[in-house]
Amino acid sequence: MLSRLMSGSSRSLEREYSCTVRLLDDSEYTCTIQRDAKGQYLFDLLCHHLNLLEKDYFGIRFVDPDKQRHWLEFTKSVVKQLRSQPPFTMCFRVKFYPADPAALKEEITRYLVFLQIKRDLYHGRLLCKTSDAALLAAYILQAEIGDYDPGKHPEGYSSKFQFFPKHSEKLERKIAEIHKTELSGQTPATSELNFLRKAQTLETYGVDPHPCKDVSGNAAFLAFTPFGFVVLQGNKRVHFIKWNEVTKLKFEGKTFYLYVSQKEEKKIILTYFAPTPEACKHLWKCGIENQAFYKLEKSSQVRTVSSSNLFFKGSRFRYSGRVAKEVMESSAKIKREPPEIHRAGMVPSRSCPSITHGPRLSSVPRTRRRAVHISIMEGLESLRDSAHSTPVRSSSHGDTFLPHVRSTRADSNERVAVIADEAYSPADSVLPTPVAEHSLELMLLSRQINGATCSIEEEKESEASTPTAAEVEALGGELRALCQGHGRPEEEQVNKFVLSVLRLLLVTMGLLFVLLLLLIILTESDLDIAFFRDIRQTPEFEQFHYQYFCPLRRWFACKIRSVVSLLIDT
């Protein structure tokens, strides 16, 4: 009896898994879930811990063993989705940025969105002019340290805080000036609200770029917003398609298709190539979810979407949450006392980590903290519809899927760290999704070739030494080989066509074989099954049996006997 109880308790322990979720303020929430627990259960635990009711804008993000990012699906088992060894580590992030963050009902929701956009600013996902960057940073200072106090804030105090991937002394002085003179008296809630209103007006508010290549082999970044589908090239928007013009999203392997129907019945198909099939499927899923959330009027209108066609085996996916309009209507009905908000104070030079995908590489002294920081991009949403793009310093895109920082060997570390006065351009520091294991090496190699320094700041900080000259040379050969392997969409299309024809032939032969086997069973076997008996008694089958099958069988038997007799004679 005792051994039976011990075995039962051990089995129950094996069915429990420890989960750690990193929150937006860099704290961690740890819990234990059962083996068959769904994603919704874990998400509800988090929202209860945060006292969050407007939870439809948020999600849980994780990285699989192949370094591909995913959003946790709430209708499926957590353990089966992660496919990694426990304990599990995930991140709580904004999944659907609100089109108007200032219109959110509760302050706790606005605070969490504020934390997400602050992370976007730090990691270089939110592009803006220097004047806008200074104002946003000043709002952060006011929200987290309060009014300027000469006794507590000596000269140059703003330089101790890390707001962006890279600073300049002129920008730091501007931040301190705005904080001293313009924001005095604002409460944290007011500063956060003003921060959200300003960030909302920027073109790259909430955008989560997915790295791809167009049909010409040029690097591009695709993103989904509350207003439609966006294509970015060279840090500028080249396509903006409203959701009501998007008729279909589809992917096949590494190829992503966007079907567009514009005015005057003009139909367009945009084609892009993702780095891996897994990245392309993730891009397709994000597009399906964003289109359903922002376009539909009711969640009852959501349909299961398939990426398959006649020849290709595809995937099926269905968005399982509420849509934006339903979320707003539900938020308007919230009637409770505002929950208490425990704001985390800003730590000087604090790291705003992101999901880890590899070692931290650094060639700049840690005391400077102004090198370009490369990190995973998070968020996905709202690029504003305007007639122009933010003037951003152009960056050259090589044949790889990673943007490069433009620099020369003559540049010093200080010059690399300083941004231009005309435009704040952290896009050069962005490492888009997905991150393969060799991506960090390729990024480091490209930076060393250009003579630029780099560092990587991520959610789990670990350090590794800079590669030697021999390693750089070896990586250079791999990079050139990798570059030669990309940019061949025509060959991929030919291979896919050949595979589709072969697949069609195999399916046809299989069907013919099954029909032949069924025919033989009907005509030659003595199986007395009701289904077979009903078919045999039909006039059509009797006519086929006596007029066609029996003569054909006699002909085949005659031919076989003649062949056998010929073989015997020889």
Side-chain angles (χ1 to χ4, degrees):
M1 179 66 71
L2 181 61
S3 61
R4 189 178 302 174
L5 290 174
M6 292 179 63
S7 62
S9 61
S10 63
R11 284 196 299 268
S12 64
L13 289 176
E14 290 176 359
R15 291 195 296 266
E16 294 183 350
Y17 298 88
S18 175
C19 292
T20 299
V21 183
R22 298 192 180 105
L23 306 179
L24 286 164
D25 60 356
D26 297 330
S27 63
E28 294 184 349
Y29 174 77
T30 303
C31 63
T32 301
I33 62 172
Q34 299 294 324
R35 180 182 181 86
D36 57 349
K38 298 291 192 294
Q40 186 68 53
Y41 173 76
L42 178 60
F43 185 67
D44 289 341
L45 282 180
L46 276 172
C47 294
H48 178 74
H49 170 74
L50 296 170
N51 205 357
L52 178 65
L53 294 182
E54 296 174 289
K55 55 187 179 181
D56 298 83
Y57 299 105
F58 302 88
I60 300 176
R61 174 167 272 168
F62 68 94
V63 182
D64 66 19
D66 297 325
K67 308 300 181 183
Q68 173 61 48
R69 293 187 308 158
H70 302 274
W71 287 106
L72 190 70
E73 296 185 39
F74 295 159
T75 58
K76 296 182 180 180
S77 167
V78 175
V79 177
K80 291 182 179 179
Q81 290 185 70
L82 265 63
R83 296 189 296 113
S84 60
Q85 295 297 324
F88 303 126
T89 301
M90 292 161 277
C91 292
F92 180 81
R93 298 290 181 261
V94 173
K95 185 176 183 179
F96 303 109
Y97 284 69
D100 184 7
L104 294 170
K105 180 66 177 292
E106 295 199 306
E107 184 182 344
I108 180 65
T109 315
R110 292 194 295 271
Y111 175 65
L112 293 175
V113 176
F114 163 79
L115 292 178
Q116 176 67 68
I117 300 176
K118 189 178 71 170
R119 296 177 69 91
D120 296 343
L121 193 66
Y122 176 86
H123 287 303
R125 295 184 292 270
L126 189 62
L127 307 181
C128 54
K129 297 179 181 179
T130 305
S131 57
D132 294 334
L135 181 58
L136 290 172
Y139 282 136
I140 296 175
L141 270 182
Q142 181 66 26
E144 300 196 358
I145 69 174
D147 292 343
Y148 169 72
D149 185 350
K152 298 179 181 179
H153 307 136
E155 185 68 23
Y157 70 99
S158 62
S159 62
K160 298 179 181 180
F161 300 93
Q162 192 75 24
F163 303 104
F164 316 108
K166 41 190 175 177
H167 284 192
S168 69
E169 293 182 0
K170 183 177 180 180
L171 176 59
E172 292 168 356
R173 291 194 297 269
K174 183 65 175 176
I175 294 171
E177 179 184 352
I178 296 176
H179 179 233
K180 293 177 184 178
T181 60
E182 300 182 18
L183 307 182
S184 179
Q186 288 191 10
T187 64
T190 302
S191 297
E192 291 161 4
L193 183 61
N194 292 332
F195 176 90
L196 293 176
R197 286 171 174 166
K198 183 60 182 177
Q200 176 199 352
T201 64
L202 303 177
E203 280 194 342
T204 50
Y205 160 74
V207 170
D208 180 24
H210 298 256
C212 293
K213 284 190 175 183
D214 60 18
V215 292
S216 301
N218 300 319
F221 296 91
L222 313 185
F224 307 102
T225 78
F227 312 104
F229 171 79
V230 174
V231 180
L232 305 171
Q233 282 185 333
N235 297 326
K236 291 185 179 180
R237 185 174 66 193
V238 295
H239 288 295
F240 174 77
I241 300 169
K242 298 179 180 179
W243 282 125
N244 57 7
E245 297 175 347
V246 177
T247 58
K248 186 178 181 180
L249 299 170
K250 190 179 73 171
F251 83 97
E252 295 172 358
K254 296 191 294 183
T255 309
F256 177 77
Y257 300 96
L258 183 82
Y259 293 77
V260 182
S261 179
Q262 296 181 333
K263 295 179 179 179
E264 300 177 357
E265 298 183 354
K266 182 180 179 181
K267 296 184 179 180
I268 303 173
I269 300 178
L270 298 179
T271 305
Y272 293 92
F273 303 95
T276 64
E278 293 75 17
C280 194
K281 185 176 181 179
H282 175 64
L283 170 66
W284 174 71
K285 282 187 173 182
C286 290
I288 296 299
E289 289 186 313
N290 276 265
Q291 185 180 31
F293 184 81
Y294 294 115
K295 180 181 179 179
L296 300 182
E297 296 289 328
K298 298 179 180 179
S299 56
S300 59
Q301 298 174 344
V302 176
R303 297 290 181 266
T304 301
V305 182
S306 175
S307 67
S308 63
N309 56 22
L310 180 62
F311 300 147
F312 290 91
K313 180 182 178 181
S315 299
R316 295 171 62 84
F317 181 70
R318 179 187 176 91
Y319 172 63
S320 58
R322 295 189 295 182
V323 301
K325 188 173 182 180
E326 291 176 332
V327 174
M328 293 296 294
E329 292 174 353
S330 176
S331 298
K333 300 176 182 178
I334 296 177
K335 295 180 180 179
R336 67 167 179 174
E337 291 294 325
E340 183 180 359
I341 300 176
H342 302 280
R343 290 178 169 84
M346 175 174 273
V347 179
S349 296
R350 184 184 63 168
S351 161
C352 289
S354 188
I355 300 176
T356 269
H357 288 284
R360 181 180 185 275
L361 307 177
S362 178
S363 58
V364 180
R366 293 177 65 89
T367 54
R368 291 300 302 164
R369 302 300 299 213
R370 293 185 185 176
V372 178
H373 289 233
I374 308 167
S375 73
I376 295 278
M377 304 178 60
E378 306 159 20
L380 47 107
E381 204 237 306
S382 136
L383 189 65
R384 302 299 299 173
D385 183 15
S386 62
H388 66 281
S389 296
T390 304
V392 179
R393 184 182 54 186
S394 63
S395 61
S396 61
H397 296 273
D399 288 337
T400 63
F401 287 91
L402 305 178
H404 300 266
V405 175
R406 208 170 71 181
S407 181
T408 62
R409 293 186 180 274
D411 289 340
S412 63
N413 291 348
E414 179 65 21
R415 287 196 61 186
V416 172
V418 176
I419 67 174
D421 290 339
E422 292 78 12
Y424 169 58
S425 176
D428 290 341
S429 69
V430 162
L431 179 61
T433 180
V435 178
E437 291 182 355
H438 64 276
S439 298
L440 299 178
E441 298 175 352
L442 295 180
M443 175 64 74
L444 178 63
L445 174 64
S446 64
R447 300 233 168 184
Q448 290 201 356
I449 291 174
N450 290 330
T453 57
C454 68
S455 67
I456 295 179
E457 195 76 39
E458 300 179 354
E459 263 200 12
K460 291 181 180 177
E461 289 195 353
S462 59
E463 297 190 1
S465 59
T466 304
T468 62
E471 292 173 342
V472 171
E473 183 177 355
L475 285 174
E478 295 179 5
L479 177 61
R480 287 188 290 272
L482 181 63
C483 292
Q484 292 175 359
H486 290 300
R488 298 180 181 176
E490 295 82 2
E491 295 182 6
E492 292 183 2
Q493 292 294 329
V494 172
N495 293 335
K496 289 179 181 179
F497 176 75
V498 173
L499 289 175
S500 65
V501 172
L502 292 176
R503 189 179 291 113
L504 178 62
L505 290 176
L506 290 175
V507 170
T508 304
M509 293 176 61
L511 290 175
L512 291 175
F513 177 77
V514 171
L515 290 175
L516 179 61
L517 184 63
L518 179 61
L519 181 63
I520 293 174
I521 293 174
L522 283 170
T523 55
E524 301 297 330
S525 70
D526 296 330
L527 292 176
D528 191 17
I529 301 176
F531 173 71
F532 289 160
R533 186 168 58 250
D534 293 341
I535 295 178
R536 292 187 184 114
Q537 292 175 356
T538 58
E540 293 82 0
F541 180 81
E542 292 181 355
Q543 181 181 4
F544 168 79
H545 180 70
Y546 292 110
Q547 292 186 7
Y548 297 99
F549 183 78
C550 289
L552 182 63
R553 183 180 58 181
R554 289 193 296 269
W555 183 82
F556 268 109
C558 181
K559 291 297 182 183
I560 291 174
R561 283 194 298 269
S562 63
V563 170
V564 171
S565 62
L566 182 62
L567 292 175
I568 294 175
D569 294 341
T570 56

